[in-house]
Amino acid sequence: MICSLRQPSIGITGSDVVLRQKHATPFQACSFLPPLALKKKPQKHVVSVNKPLHVASVSVGNFGSVKDLEGFGKRESDDLVKCGAYEADRSEIEAAGPSEAAKKVKIGIYFATWWALNVVFNIYNKKVLNAYPYPWLTSTLSLACGSLMMLISWATGIAESPKTDLEFWKTLLPVAVAHTIGHVAATVSMSKVAVSFTHIIKSGEPAFSVLVSRFLLGETFPVPVYLSLIPIIGGCALAAVTELNFNMTGFMGAMISNLAFVFRNIFSKKGMKGKSVSGMNYYACLSILSLALLTPFAIAVEGPQMWAAGWQIALSQIGPQFIWWVAAQSVFYHLYNQVSYMSLDEISPLTFSIGNTMKRISVIVSSIIIFHTPVQPVNALGAAIAVLGTFLYSQAKQ
């Protein structure tokens, strides 16, 4: 910012002017100056500097010196305003640059960590489900592991415990219900079909979001948002009809997961406004409440007897490393969700949506490579169209 102070007798021009606040006599605008008619034409001086200026001394007409701050300059009776200044160091102004750069680096680290953790989770989750096809227990273990990690972090002081009350948990309840349904449905889907197919169908979540918001909440969107749904729906449909290992349970699980996560987001936006709990602690509270909701249903649907029999079979076929697979998928599930919620505190929803689209691409590609999933060209085309539509949606919605 260029600041300028001008009177007929002198001009000072610089990149900044810094007044020290320690002086007892404040200097205010001199509206009491006498008329500017002078007996002799004063000599004009223009001082141009690249560094900010500290004002050193100020003298006002015949009213005397306000204060000689640093001993700079001598009074001249024929000057209306005399101001002495010296150049300050630029380090304070230049400090903003590195902080902005550090913030971008921090966001980049969040994104890279989020994508990497999500890819690792999906790989281990699919390994576990192939050997141990009990998605309800697998989902429960994921939530239990994350809840335990956060409880230990709060107890040991590693993370600051959230300040919650009964009203907070009441507000969180519908969010937790939707989160639980979406989590279990996605796990059921991945137990029946390829990871890539599940994520291709889950890329259609924006279509559910627009439809639910339009017909249930009465919200309207710009025309480009509706147009972006065409490639999303068309790409998902093309990928589904050309999927070599299509399974209706897997397909419906991914669709139910989309719908549940849309309601989770709606409830979260409506109920959590003004709440102080956010980011890492918000997701931790969500995991704890979801675990409490899911556990009795997991026991009723599958039950300890099925779990024990399946566990023995998996251990006999895979060996002790199966235990590591279960632990890894549980830990990485919590970590990738935790990092995603932490990154949401640092970036805009648009940037988050784009990051989520890129994350889905990384999961689809990596799972196809690792599991050697057979993909037909038309199937890959459908996936690409659906993902592109998701990206266009994030742009149009902004």
Side-chain angles (χ1 to χ4, degrees):
M1 178 180 69
I2 302 300
C3 299
S4 179
L5 170 64
R6 288 196 177 273
Q7 286 291 343
S9 61
I10 187 170
I12 294 179
T13 303
S15 61
D16 201 0
V17 176
V18 183
L19 285 172
R20 293 190 175 183
Q21 302 297 325
K22 64 181 180 180
H23 311 299
T25 306
F27 177 67
Q28 299 178 348
C30 300
S31 60
F32 53 83
L33 290 177
L36 297 180
L38 300 176
K39 294 180 181 180
K40 62 178 181 177
K41 185 177 180 180
Q43 182 181 0
K44 290 189 177 182
H45 302 282
V46 177
V47 180
S48 180
V49 295
N50 292 323
K51 294 183 178 181
L53 298 178
H54 284 299
V55 174
S57 61
V58 180
S59 298
V60 185
N62 295 324
F63 296 91
S65 174
V66 174
K67 191 169 182 180
D68 194 9
L69 306 180
E70 302 288 347
F72 287 86
K74 296 180 180 179
R75 290 184 56 197
E76 294 179 18
S77 59
D78 58 347
D79 282 341
L80 279 177
V81 177
K82 181 175 183 297
C83 182
Y86 63 94
E87 293 180 343
D89 186 77
R90 289 181 64 87
S91 60
E92 293 181 4
I93 294 184
E94 292 175 348
S99 64
E100 185 68 22
K103 183 178 180 181
K104 291 181 179 179
V105 171
K106 182 180 180 181
I107 293 174
I109 293 174
Y110 272 141
F111 268 38
T113 306
W114 175 23
W115 296 342
L117 291 172
N118 190 266
V119 169
V120 174
F121 158 71
N122 278 277
I123 291 171
Y124 279 109
N125 188 45
K126 185 58 176 176
K127 284 177 174 287
V128 170
L129 291 171
N130 285 342
Y132 189 68
Y134 297 98
W136 288 79
L137 176 61
T138 305
S139 302
T140 305
L141 292 176
S142 300
L143 295 173
C145 180
S147 300
L148 180 61
M149 290 169 60
M150 289 308 302
L151 289 173
I152 293 175
S153 298
W154 293 336
T156 57
I158 296 176
E160 183 180 358
S161 58
K163 304 296 187 295
T164 62
D165 52 21
L166 183 60
E167 186 63 28
F168 168 82
W169 292 101
K170 287 181 179 179
T171 306
L172 189 63
L173 180 59
V175 184
V177 171
H179 178 73
T180 304
I181 295 173
H183 175 43
V184 173
T187 309
V188 169
S189 175
M190 282 195 284
S191 70
K192 299 295 184 180
V193 295
V195 175
S196 56
F197 181 71
T198 297
H199 280 273
I200 291 170
I201 301 303
K202 282 178 66 63
S203 66
E205 184 176 324
F208 286 85
S209 179
V210 171
L211 295 176
V212 169
S213 299
R214 177 67 184 89
F215 294 106
L216 296 185
L217 302 180
E219 295 183 15
T220 57
F221 299 91
V223 174
V225 172
Y226 294 110
L227 294 178
S228 70
L229 302 184
I230 297 175
I232 294 176
I233 297 173
C236 289
L238 182 61
V241 298
T242 57
E243 173 66 23
L244 294 177
N245 299 312
F246 180 83
N247 180 280
M248 183 56 70
T249 302
F251 174 75
M252 291 305 299
M255 296 288 281
I256 293 172
S257 177
N258 281 339
L259 188 60
F261 283 144
V262 166
F263 279 104
R264 179 193 65 179
N265 296 337
I266 292 174
F267 293 145
S268 184
K269 289 177 183 177
K270 283 183 169 293
M272 301 310 296
K273 289 181 179 179
K275 303 296 182 182
S276 59
V277 180
S278 62
M280 178 173 60
N281 282 340
Y282 176 79
Y283 181 71
C285 294
L286 182 61
S287 295
I288 293 172
L289 190 53
S290 295
L291 175 63
L293 295 171
L294 177 57
T295 302
F297 287 95
I299 295 173
V301 173
E302 293 174 347
Q305 291 184 347
M306 294 177 63
W307 296 338
W311 187 269
Q312 293 299 324
I313 296 173
L315 278 177
S316 64
Q317 293 177 347
I318 307 299
Q321 64 177 337
F322 172 72
I323 299 176
W324 158 249
W325 292 357
V326 174
Q329 72 93 25
S330 301
V331 171
F332 284 112
Y333 173 80
H334 176 78
L335 290 179
Y336 100 75
N337 276 288
Q338 179 175 297
V339 172
S340 70
Y341 273 81
M342 291 170 65
S343 65
L344 190 55
D345 281 348
E346 303 287 337
I347 59 179
S348 67
L350 173 62
T351 306
F352 184 85
S353 297
I354 296 174
N356 196 44
T357 302
M358 300 304 295
K359 176 209 75 175
R360 211 168 292 287
I361 294 174
S362 64
V363 171
I364 292 172
V365 173
S366 61
S367 65
I368 289 175
I369 295 173
I370 293 173
F371 294 107
H372 305 288
T373 306
V375 179
Q376 293 180 330
V378 66
N379 186 257
L381 177 62
I385 293 174
V387 173
L388 175 62
T390 303
F391 175 78
L392 294 176
Y393 166 82
S394 66
Q395 297 294 312
K397 198 166 187 290
Q398 181 66 13

